[in-house]
Amino acid sequence: MPGASPPFPQNPKDAIALQLQLREQLQFTPFPPERVRLIAGADISFNKFSPEIYAGIVVLSFPGLQIVEQATTVAKADFPYIPGLLSFREMPALLKVWEQLQFKPDVVVLDGHGYAHPRRMGIAAHFGLATNCPALGCGKSVLVGQHGYLAAEKGSFAYLLHNGEKIGAALRTKTGVKPVYISAGHLITLPDALNIMLLCCTRYRIPEPTRQAHLLVNRLRIESGNHKQPK
DNA sequence: GCGACAG
DNA sequence: ATCTTGTCGC
């Protein structure tokens, strides 16, 4: 019965084994900006010492970047945060949100990395495979790899290299601010991911899909905790 | 063994 | 990721 979703591993050993298996299925085919009509940003939020995680996806028009749809869910995190295994913590909740979407986007932006991962299977790659939707990673810091100098001007970039391989790029999304890190997830190439992300940058460091998703899940978390009024 | 380490 | 006020700079 192909297509049935296998359960998520419950321990690091099994999770790593699954990553090594899944990475063989990744495809990096062109997906230029011209083919994007809807783009989504996905993110989660949580309180430091609480198991509740607030997940959300925002769908935006492209290139207009107007919000078309928003969906959220609250779930329990059943996997700890371990660098390199982020998807096993965040994806179950994000997939529930994904199923709720009325309009499936043409491409999804995940908060974190895709190919720029020690085993080339970051959350953007995993999510893209699970949904069979083009996906890319946009992280705020490096997980693995290094890059050289990049100019201060918006649009400048420098490739992220790891073990002699080009795995992603540091991209200046706004003049004079720290870069973000872009990598392909699945069904997209790094150049296309870079071009699409640059077209999502308005006046902030964080590209609009991710920025809106972040705002959404933070609002959800704050309001969720404020329902029960203290007596 | 030591240091690094997405969110 | 979250906790936090003001503050330096374009």
Side-chain angles (χ1 to χ4, degrees):
Chain A
M1 188 184 206
S5 315
F8 271 82
Q10 292 304 305
N11 63 73
K13 192 78 70 179
D14 292 343
I16 291 174
L18 179 58
Q19 288 182 329
L20 296 178
Q21 174 186 326
L22 290 178
R23 69 178 179 183
E24 303 301 324
Q25 300 171 37
L26 293 177
Q27 294 179 31
F28 304 104
T29 45
F31 202 86
E34 297 75 43
R35 290 178 55 184
V36 181
R37 292 290 176 276
L38 294 177
I39 186 168
D43 193 18
I44 72 154
S45 177
F46 58 87
N47 288 314
K48 196 171 184 180
F49 298 107
S50 170
E52 252 87 86
I53 61 178
Y54 305 85
I57 296 179
V58 178
V59 180
L60 312 175
S61 61
F62 188 92
L65 303 179
Q66 297 304 297
I67 295 178
V68 169
E69 183 181 2
Q70 302 183 327
T72 61
T73 195
V74 181
K76 303 280 187 183
D78 45 35
F79 201 95
Y81 167 66
I82 299 172
L85 301 178
L86 177 65
S87 67
F88 299 96
R89 173 177 172 81
E90 300 194 351
M91 264 189 49
L94 289 178
L95 288 178
K96 285 205 296 183
V97 179
W98 176 261
E99 293 167 7
Q100 297 175 38
L101 289 180
Q102 178 181 180
F103 300 105
K104 304 304 191 209
D106 300 300
V107 57
V108 187
V109 184
L110 279 296
D111 204 348
H113 298 96
Y115 196 73
H117 177 278
R119 289 170 294 280
R120 311 300 184 247
M121 266 302 298
I123 189 170
H126 198 165
F127 191 89
L129 276 177
T131 59
N132 195 40
C133 178
L136 66 94
C138 175
K140 295 179 291 298
S141 62
V142 171
L143 210 206
V144 292
Q146 298 181 315
H147 65 84
Y149 168 87
L150 63 160
E153 287 67 45
K154 175 179 180 177
S156 304
F157 66 88
Y159 290 115
L160 243 192
L161 305 176
H162 184 236
N163 294 338
E165 185 178 21
K166 182 188 298 183
I167 61 174
L171 174 66
R172 197 82 70 184
T173 52
K174 175 182 177 178
T175 296
V177 304
K178 294 195 307 179
V180 297
Y181 302 87
I182 307 301
S183 60
H186 182 49
L187 301 176
I188 195 170
T189 63
L190 176 59
D192 286 338
L194 282 170
N195 287 323
I196 290 171
M197 288 320 275
L198 208 42
L199 288 169
C200 287
C201 296
T202 55
R203 50 179 298 205
Y204 306 94
R205 173 188 178 227
I206 305 301
E208 207 57 13
T210 296
R211 198 178 77 84
Q212 289 298 337
H214 192 264
L215 290 172
L216 173 65
V217 295
N218 266 322
R219 288 193 303 258
L220 175 65
R221 176 174 60 83
I222 302 301
E223 71 187 41
S224 294
N226 222 42
H227 270 301
K228 298 172 186 173
Q229 291 292 333
K231 291 183 178 179

